[in-house]
């Protein structure tokens, strides 16, 4: 989240889409009810299903799964056409005034630079028109932020020659090549009529939503968009979220109390995992993974650090990327990382291709990957096309599962249609502690890292994750010491300074993540103290300040809130720097005055920025004019994304789902042309809706915790049977009564469950066509507990093996199926 749960009390309107917070995040969601009770806030819910969130909303709209880009593009067009945008905010805090180069174009569904043979874009033309160094006003050049500091000083100004040149701007927004004018042209096609015909939302209901939420584009209002994996589980997932960002920036709702682009993060500690580089393509703190050809630290830093695109851009990452990287390498490799060996940069992996979750399993399926380790996740349950994933696991030589309970992966040979005699994979199951049996921190959706303490001791010989991983490392290191091996340096020189080397305590790990000054040994208070000379070591710069000489900041439970805004700076700790609202400089105007005096984010008091922890140099006066968006080279929020940052376009564009009942009415390009795809996968996709006429989507249930609660009798009793939600009209058409057993088929597999015939799923009219949607919960499977022997009950037996172009997140929501009574 850019904001946080308690801040919801400051909102005037909520647009909840692809999420069900009333059921899945009830403790945080209560603050939306506070906003409704105290401010009269309106709650809008858009979702294929009528849920408990819909039941408490002021307005619910059904939507066809996977058409969210069209929905947000339509809202953007409505805001632009009716001039509901916050004009002063847009000019000050976004790149609306930046001029885009003449070579950029969009034509019938494709942006410039598309190569049909490779299915990739060359995004060189997605760029701004540049000012050459000689054209830059010398008085402005002196204000260019230093490349080695974050305080905005001009002691060693960065020359435009060090960048491709600053971007040209037209602050009147009238230039036809300005981002603002190109944006108006691009989104003008998304009329209310078109939105209704594609999404299935009745036109009058869409206009009601647009009017309510569009009204938040004034200085004295704040609108909040809340989403979850209902938006990200699509081939266009990244662009859906981009649409939210564009809408919120146009309305002036980013950086502002009560506003924000707010993702609900899921089970246990998904936010904390991602922050600490669970994903293959990042290092801790969302730093880039090095690429092949980057032979030196300078090669990496020069490529990863953002170019300076405006003289007023603070460009935080551009200025401190080297310090962050060196400090990370010192934390990992200690005294072995020196200036003479480039701080051991050469020891970092340089992936040669996308190594996402789907790639790993595709490599296993092709027998190019021989071993796999599942820790706290289950490939078969959480992956698309579970039959394909089971085939992948069957082709491994060895497979390790570290989990509290048996999973569908640890017992994959029991899957329907699998002959155990033919599976040669050697499987090791390592029972480990559940999260209630260990201490540590959870990072919630609002980026608050909160320490928790073990509620129960582990039973018997069950060990915690740290012990298992420590033993794996220590024994591997011993083998390298005794026998040698290819490229031993990273293993032999990895720091392991823990008092209990066999089982590193979470407190010591937290201190390591926080980082310390190496000459004194003192823990750091802020990431701004990171050095590039090898005298600081930091495990994750985002968490610097969370575990200091003053103690474990994550374990604090102070309830004072002197701001009255719900920041509660003494309750736990929020990354980065205990900041509660990201980009909070955008909560104030050019003079440092809050847009809304009754809801200040930060304000300039004449000598300092006060309120929340400022996302800005605290003593830099407003007249310095530094940009509020300090993580971009422009210094402002991006309505248009320049080349190299996204793989599928600088503006969101609608494409139909991989499997769809409709042909794309917006262009001749029907599907996402750069979706993440394997050569043989299309053979498993339905070409149209003749054999598989219904749209299916997946979801979670409050009564179940992910895939483990079939081991818990009380929760099984609360929601005992796998079921499929069917609209009343579809059930009648198919002769299916409530509680009848039904079979749901896709081109990849089938499931069997009880029919829940309900009005919560509604038929949708798409022009002259009526489309039915069905809902399938994800929790059941065949392994262990009360699920043992119940085979065809995994929703992901049905889902397609394809992903988002940028993240490779699979398309779990919005695929085609058929339904029949058994």
């Amino acid at each position: 989240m850019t904001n946080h749960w308690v801040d919801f009390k400051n909102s005037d309107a909520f647009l909840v889409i692809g999420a069900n917070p009333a059921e899945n995040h009830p403790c945080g969601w209560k603050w939306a009810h506070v906003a409704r009770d105290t401010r009269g806030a309106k709650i809008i819910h858009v979702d294929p299903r009528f849920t408990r969130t819909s039941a408490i909303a002021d307005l619910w709209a059904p939507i066809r799964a996977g058409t969210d880009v069209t929905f947000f593009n339509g809202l953007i067009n409505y805001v632009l056409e009716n001039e509901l945008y916050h004009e002063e905010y847009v000019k000050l805090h976004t790149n609306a005034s930046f001029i885009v180069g003449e070579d950029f174009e969009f034509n019938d569904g494709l942006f410039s630079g598309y190569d049909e043979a490779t299915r990739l874009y060359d995004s060189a033309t997605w760029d701004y028109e540049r000012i050459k160094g000689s054209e830059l006003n010398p008085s402005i050049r002196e204000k260019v932020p230093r490349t080695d500091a974050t305080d905005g000083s001009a002691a060693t100004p960065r020359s435009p020659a060090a960048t491709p040149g600053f971007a040209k701007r037209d602050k009147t927004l009238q230039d036809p090549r300005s981002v603002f004018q190109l944006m108006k042209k691009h989104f003008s096609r998304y009329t209310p009529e078109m939105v209704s015909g594609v999404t299935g939302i009745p036109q009058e209901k869409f206009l009601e939503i647009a009017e309510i939420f569009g009204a938040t584009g004034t200085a004295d209002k704040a609108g909040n968009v809340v989403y979850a994996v209902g938006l990200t589980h699509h081939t266009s997932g990244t662009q859906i979220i981009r649409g939210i960002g564009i809408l919120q920036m146009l309305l002036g709702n980013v950086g502002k109390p009560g506003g924000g682009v707010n993702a609900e993060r899921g089970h246990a500690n998904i936010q904390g995992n991602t922050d600490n580089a669970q994903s293959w393509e990042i290092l801790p703190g969302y730093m880039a993974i090095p690429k092949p050809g980057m032979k030196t630290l300078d090669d990496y830093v020069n490529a990863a650090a953002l170019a300076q695109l405006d003289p007023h851009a603070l460009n935080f990452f551009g200025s401190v990327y080297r310090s962050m990287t060196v400090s990370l390498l010192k934390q990992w490799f200690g005294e072995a990382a020196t200036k003479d060996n480039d701080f051991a940069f050469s020891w970092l992996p340089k992936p040669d291709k996308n190594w996402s979750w789907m790639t790993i399993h595709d490599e296993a399926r092709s027998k190019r990957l021989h071993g796999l380790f599942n820790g706290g996740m289950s490939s078969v349950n959480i992956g698309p096309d579970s039959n394909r994933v089971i085939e992948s696991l069957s082709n491994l030589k060895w497979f390790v599962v570290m989990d509290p309970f048996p999973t569908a992966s640890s017992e994959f040979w029991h899957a329907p249609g699998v002959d155990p005699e033919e599976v040669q994979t050697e499987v090791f199951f390592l029972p480990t502690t559940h999260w209630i049996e260990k201490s540590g921190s959870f990072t919630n959706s609002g980026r608050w890292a909160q320490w928790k303490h073990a509620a129960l001791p582990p039973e018997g010989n069950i060990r915690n994750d740290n012990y298992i991983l420590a033993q794996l490392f220590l024994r591997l290191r011993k083998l390298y010491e005794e026998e040698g091996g290819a490229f031993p340096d990273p293993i032999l020189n990895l720091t392991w300074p823990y008092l209990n080397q066999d089982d590193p305590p979470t407190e010591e790990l937290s201190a390591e993540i926080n980082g310390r000054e190496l000459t004194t040994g003192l823990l750091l208070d802020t990431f701004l103290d990171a050095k590039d000379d090898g005298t600081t070591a930091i495990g994750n710069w985002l968490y610097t300040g969370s575990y200091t000489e003053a103690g474990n900041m994550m374990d604090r439970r102070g309830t004072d809130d002197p701001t009255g805004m719900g920041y509660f700076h003494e309750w736990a700790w929020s990354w980065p720097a205990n900041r509660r609202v990201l980009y909070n400089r955008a909560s104030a105007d050019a003079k440092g005055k809050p847009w809304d005096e009754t809801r200040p984010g930060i304000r300039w008091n004449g000598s300092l920025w006060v309120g929340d922890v400022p996302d800005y140099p605290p003593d830099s006066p407003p007249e310095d004019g530094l940009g509020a968006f300090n993580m971009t080279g422009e210094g402002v929020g991006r309505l248009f994304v320049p080349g190299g940052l996204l793989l599928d376009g600088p503006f969101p564009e609608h494409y139909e789902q991989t499997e769809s009942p409709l042909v794309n009415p917006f262009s001749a390009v029907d599907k996402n042309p750069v979706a993440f795809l394997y050569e043989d996968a299309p053979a498993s996709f339905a070409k149209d809706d003749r054999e598989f006429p219904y749209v299916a989507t997946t979801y979670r249930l409050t009564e179940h915790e992910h895939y483990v609660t079939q081991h818990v009798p009380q929760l099984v009793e609360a929601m005992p049977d796998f079921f499929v939600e069917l609209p009343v009209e579809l059930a009648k058409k198919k002769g299916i009564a409530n509680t009848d057993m039904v079979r749901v088929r896709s081109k990849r597999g089938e499931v069997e469950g009880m029919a829940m015939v309900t009005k919560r799923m509604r038929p949708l009219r798409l022009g002259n066509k009526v489309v039915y949607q069905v809902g399938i919960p994800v929790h059941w499977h065949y392994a262990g507990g009360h699920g043992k022997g119940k085979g065809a009950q995994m929703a992901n037996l049905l889902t397609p093996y394809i992903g988002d172009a940028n993240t490779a997140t699979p398309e779990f929501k919005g695929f085609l199926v058929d339904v029949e009574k058994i």
Side-chain angles (χ1 to χ4, degrees), residues 528-567:
L528 297 178
D529 289 334
K531 301 291 192 301
D532 66 0
D533 60 2
T535 58
T536 55
I538 300 173
N540 185 342
W541 71 271
L542 277 180
Y543 283 79
T544 303
S546 65
Y547 203 99
T548 69
E549 293 296 323
N552 185 348
M553 300 293 103
M554 298 174 284
D555 205 16
R556 297 180 301 173
R557 293 297 182 267
T559 56
D560 288 342
D561 182 30
T563 66
M565 295 300 297
Y567 294 143

Side-chain angles (χ1 to χ4, degrees), residues 213-480:
F213 204 76
T216 66
T218 59
D220 62 341
K221 297 290 184 182
N224 187 323
V225 178
V226 182
Y227 74 94
V229 294
L231 296 193
T232 56
H233 286 175
H234 303 286
T235 50
S236 56
T238 300
Q239 292 293 3
I240 295 171
I241 312 310
R242 278 279 299 140
I244 299 175
I246 292 171
L247 175 67
Q248 288 293 70
M249 285 188 286
L250 286 174
L251 295 171
N253 283 329
V254 176
K256 193 177 188 180
V261 177
N262 295 311
E264 294 179 330
R265 302 310 300 267
H267 170 74
N269 202 15
I270 297 300
Q271 183 68 59
N273 284 343
T274 314
D275 298 342
N276 288 285
Q278 172 184 261
S279 298
W280 74 273
E281 77 280 10
I282 55 174
L283 297 177
Y286 301 96
M287 297 173 68
I289 196 80
K291 296 180 180 179
M294 293 180 179
K295 296 182 179 179
T296 68
L297 180 59
D298 284 342
D299 291 342
Y300 168 70
V301 171
N302 290 337
L306 297 173
Q308 190 87 10
L309 297 170
D310 188 82
H312 297 101
L314 181 58
N315 195 3
F316 169 76
F317 253 12
S319 61
V320 299
Y321 217 99
R322 186 181 181 87
S323 299
M324 299 298 190
T325 307
V326 171
S327 296
L328 179 63
L329 292 168
K330 289 296 292 184
Q331 189 63 271
W332 283 347
F333 302 121
E335 293 181 0
T338 67
K339 186 176 181 180
D340 291 339
N341 71 357
D342 218 13
F343 297 102
F345 172 76
S346 64
W347 296 352
L348 292 182
K350 283 81 176 176
D352 59 345
K353 62 181 179 181
N354 185 306
W355 276 97
S356 70
W357 189 99
M358 288 202 296
T359 300
I360 290 171
H361 291 83
D362 192 66
E363 292 288 304
R365 183 169 174 266
S366 302
K367 299 185 179 181
R368 292 188 293 267
L369 181 71
H370 302 308
L372 184 62
F373 192 107
N374 265 191
M377 58 87 73
S378 174
S379 297
V380 173
N381 295 106
I382 71 170
D385 192 353
S386 294
N387 284 323
R388 184 181 175 117
V389 174
I390 290 167
E391 183 183 351
S392 299
L393 299 183
S394 300
N395 286 340
L396 291 169
K397 291 183 178 179
W398 55 264
F399 179 45
V400 180
V401 176
M402 182 177 72
D403 212 277
F405 300 104
T407 69
S409 296
S410 69
E411 301 189 20
F412 71 88
W413 64 88
H414 291 308
V418 176
D419 182 358
E421 295 294 328
E422 295 182 2
V423 177
Q424 299 302 305
T425 307
E426 186 173 11
V427 180
F428 303 86
F429 180 72
L430 306 178
T432 186
T433 47
H434 191 274
W435 61 263
I436 63 175
E437 297 170 321
K438 53 194 171 190
S439 298
S441 66
F442 277 170
T443 305
N444 72 9
S445 302
R447 298 169 287 101
W448 290 19
Q450 301 178 92
W451 197 263
K452 63 177 185 62
H453 298 271
L456 297 169
E459 295 182 0
N461 291 322
I462 291 174
R463 303 295 189 126
N464 67 51
D465 311 61
N466 293 350
Y467 174 86
I468 294 172
L469 294 173
Q471 295 307 307
L472 179 63
F473 166 70
L474 293 171
R475 297 178 194 200
L476 278 172
R477 186 176 67 179
K478 186 176 181 181
L479 286 173
Y480 271 97

Side-chain angles (χ1 to χ4, degrees), residues 674-737:
V674 292
F676 189 65
L677 180 66
Y678 295 94
E679 287 185 6
D680 64 337
S684 66
F685 301 158
K687 293 181 179 180
D688 52 47
D689 62 345
R690 283 177 292 183
E691 183 180 358
F692 303 100
Y694 312 122
V695 177
T697 190
T698 61
Y699 56 92
R700 301 177 189 274
L701 301 169
T702 305
E703 294 81 1
H704 285 263
E705 182 194 13
H706 215 40
Y707 304 108
V708 302
T709 44
Q710 64 185 39
H711 298 276
V712 183
Q714 293 87 344
L715 294 177
V716 171
E717 184 179 359
M719 190 66 74
D721 294 310
F722 176 72
F723 63 90
V724 177
E725 282 197 77
L726 301 176
V728 172
E729 296 82 355
L730 175 60
K732 183 177 180 180
K733 178 180 178 180
K734 304 286 287 188
I736 298 170

